[in-house]
Amino acid sequence: MKKSILIIALSILLNSCVSTRSTLKNVDDTAPDLVVNNNNTFDIKLFSTDKKYGYDKDYPINIFYQTSKSDANQERFLNALAGPKGEKITYSKLESCCPFPTKRSDMGAGFLDVYELKWEGQKKPVLLYLNIYEKGIVMVPFGLRLKNN
């Protein structure tokens, strides 16, 4: 009986440790800090060729939280984007999901924010996963463009 309890307790302990590992694949603490331009959007220079970047919860856009307003960096990022042919995009936050462990949160966990992007002529809205807790190289997701200012 004691052996069974020990095995069950050990199994629970091992499973809980596995579930607290981060699944994020593109965290880079050495990534340069983001620069805000005159339009209050991020100055983005790179374009992703990875079709998962931003579109997959394991490859979120890591914009790192550095402001007192929690959605300021999401807005700075999203306001810099345009549709595939330069179309004006609109966006809305759908939900927060996909908890992961992080040292940059008082709770010890962070959540991804899911945004829906729409533009004229689009067949199906685009969902992007944004992460305000971790750093990474910030790029324009595959298939999108930078807004012309």
Side-chain angles (χ1 to χ4, degrees):
M1 180 70 172
K2 287 183 181 180
K3 191 175 185 179
S4 295
I5 292 173
L6 181 61
I7 290 173
I8 291 171
L10 186 58
S11 175
I12 291 170
L13 179 64
L14 288 175
N15 284 332
S16 67
C17 290
V18 170
S19 66
T20 60
R21 272 195 260 149
S22 180
T23 60
L24 303 181
K25 308 282 192 263
N26 57 342
V27 172
D28 181 357
D29 287 331
T30 65
D33 288 337
L34 296 167
V35 175
V36 178
N37 64 27
N38 293 337
N39 298 323
N40 199 32
T41 61
F42 285 132
D43 188 22
I44 304 169
K45 305 279 189 215
L46 302 173
F47 290 78
S48 178
T49 57
D50 184 348
K51 293 182 180 180
K52 291 182 179 180
Y53 178 77
Y55 299 107
D56 183 304
K57 64 181 168 62
D58 290 334
Y59 297 86
I61 300 159
N62 298 311
I63 55 176
F64 189 53
Y65 175 73
Q66 297 186 76
T67 65
S68 60
K69 184 180 173 200
S70 65
D71 57 352
N73 282 350
Q74 289 101 318
E75 291 172 4
R76 288 175 178 149
F77 175 76
L78 294 167
N79 287 335
L81 300 179
K85 296 178 183 172
E87 302 94 339
K88 179 181 178 180
I89 64 166
T90 59
Y91 58 86
S92 59
K93 182 177 176 180
L94 297 181
E95 65 178 334
S96 293
C97 74
C98 321
F100 60 91
T102 181
K103 295 177 182 173
R104 293 190 168 119
S105 166
D106 294 337
M107 298 181 302
F111 292 88
L112 301 179
D113 293 324
V114 182
Y115 280 82
E116 179 181 68
L117 279 62
K118 296 179 182 178
W119 57 83
E120 191 173 314
Q122 180 185 39
K123 293 179 183 166
K124 180 181 170 187
V126 168
L127 298 182
L128 288 181
Y129 293 87
L130 280 74
N131 177 1
I132 62 170
Y133 296 95
E134 306 298 338
K135 286 182 81 172
I137 304 294
V138 174
M139 299 178 273
V140 175
F142 184 82
L144 297 177
R145 294 178 60 183
L146 287 171
K147 183 188 300 182
N148 291 331
N149 294 317

